[in-house]
Amino acid sequence: MTPSPTDATVVFVAFGVRTLPLDWIPSGAPVVIVHNDPLLDEEQSNHPGVTHVRPGENLGFGRGVNLAVEFVRSRRVIVCNPDVELGRSHWAALASGAADEVVTVRLRTSAGQPMASVLPYPSPIVLAAGTFRTVRIAPPGSRRRALLTKLLGTWGQDRRWTVETPPGRFSLRDRWVSGAVFSIDTELFRRVGGFDTDYFLYLEDTDLSGRLATLDPPIVAVVADAEPGIHAVGGSARDVPAARLARRAQWESAARYASLRSGWEWVAIGVALRCGSMIDRVMHPNIRTGA
């Protein structure tokens, strides 16, 4: 059954963007845009069903989405990054999810490279490697990347296929859904408290998936069988201050995520991440995440 335009509300948290294409959204569907900065002009987000919310400060991603959901009255909410380009087939897939499904779509970069939509939860070493950006020494296709994949063991092998996530159903107990674009039952999102607002940016989607995984009956991730959308990664961090803000948030979120896990490996990695975060604060004292 084709979903009605009123079945879902699309939510955006706008930051660092001046345009926001909404032509993939039916004219009768509600849209809520939270403006975390003043760059996006309302005339550049032309849609008859838009509600503009201007909190007067940068709330971060999770708090911004939570604020937007306060205005949602539809059965389902579609969360979409402003640097993701979608089509009408994506609307149909995202708006028609069931109450126990978190629905996403396949994505590619602007250069056409496949991206992961559903990923294994990070291990301590993988979280540290991503935050310290050590994986940059091993670009895709290189011998160093092949060696790194072996060193990462089972997670590394899983990561190889999740770079090109196939359509299907996946347990949230094993994998988390990227926050680049997904849809969820509105009341389910509210029931788990939405995003953890202590994550300003990064890992709030991993944390949300983990909390959804604890529910009974189980919630599943669904990757829709539709053409991939386009994700211009980092599209909202176009200048040095925005990039530094994102980097600060990455340090803080990784440290928080590690602090909420148990085991000596997580404790050790958490200490290293907190040290990295403190160094970042010393190097860039004027950057504030509000976390």
Side-chain angles (χ1 to χ4, degrees):
M1 179 183 296
T2 302
S4 164
T6 59
D7 284 348
T9 301
V10 185
V11 164
F12 295 94
V13 177
F15 177 79
V17 295
R18 297 184 182 275
T19 60
L20 187 58
L22 304 178
D23 54 349
W24 62 278
I25 306 170
S27 59
V31 178
V32 181
I33 302 175
V34 174
H35 296 257
N36 270 354
D37 66 16
L39 288 180
L40 180 64
D41 191 290
E42 292 186 9
E43 294 182 357
Q44 298 301 319
S45 52
N46 188 22
H47 186 281
V50 174
T51 298
H52 294 277
V53 181
R54 299 184 180 275
E57 61 176 318
N58 185 357
L59 301 178
F61 180 72
R63 284 181 65 197
V65 171
N66 289 357
L67 175 60
V69 172
E70 293 181 14
F71 296 83
V72 173
R73 301 295 179 265
S74 58
R75 176 183 63 86
R76 201 160 185 84
V77 57
I78 300 172
V79 178
C80 186
N81 279 7
D83 55 8
V84 171
E85 299 178 17
L86 300 177
R88 284 297 179 94
S89 64
H90 300 118
W91 158 266
L94 292 164
S96 60
D100 62 346
E101 295 176 340
V102 178
V103 181
T104 186
V105 300
R106 292 180 295 163
L107 294 171
R108 292 186 182 275
T109 67
S110 301
Q113 298 174 322
M115 299 182 64
S117 299
V118 178
L119 305 92
Y121 288 98
S123 66
I125 189 63
V126 166
L127 180 65
T131 308
F132 282 95
R133 297 184 174 179
T134 56
V135 292
R136 289 191 172 186
I137 66 174
S142 68
R143 292 182 179 180
R144 283 175 291 179
R145 173 58 68 93
L147 176 60
L148 181 62
T149 298
K150 291 181 179 179
L151 291 175
L152 293 176
T154 301
W155 194 98
Q157 294 300 320
D158 285 345
R159 186 68 176 81
R160 293 177 64 183
W161 75 259
T162 57
V163 169
E164 192 164 8
T165 311
R169 299 172 66 84
F170 306 94
S171 171
L172 284 179
R173 293 175 181 173
D174 302 318
R175 307 182 192 280
W176 59 276
V177 178
S178 167
V181 56
F182 70 93
S183 75
I184 186 172
D185 181 84
T186 305
E187 291 310 313
L188 175 62
F189 184 81
R190 290 173 174 149
R191 176 152 60 99
V192 297
F195 284 113
D196 182 342
T197 56
D198 284 332
Y199 292 96
F200 183 82
L201 185 66
Y202 292 109
L203 291 167
E204 64 280 289
D205 43 9
T206 315
D207 171 80
L208 176 65
S209 294
R211 287 186 283 120
L212 290 169
T214 66
L215 300 180
D216 188 26
I219 309 300
V220 297
V222 176
V223 180
D225 189 7
E227 288 296 313
I230 304 299
H231 187 192
V233 181
S236 60
R238 300 182 185 277
D239 55 27
V240 172
R244 286 179 175 169
L245 176 66
R247 185 64 173 142
R248 168 68 55 79
Q250 185 179 20
W251 282 115
E252 293 179 346
S253 292
R256 173 167 176 75
Y257 188 86
S259 72
L260 297 176
R261 320 259 87 74
S262 59
W264 68 266
E265 300 99 332
W266 282 112
V267 172
I269 291 300
V271 170
L273 291 169
R274 286 192 294 275
C275 289
S277 179
M278 286 189 289
I279 292 172
D280 183 75
R281 285 181 175 274
V282 171
M283 294 179 62
H284 307 291
N286 295 323
I287 301 296
R288 299 188 58 170
T289 63

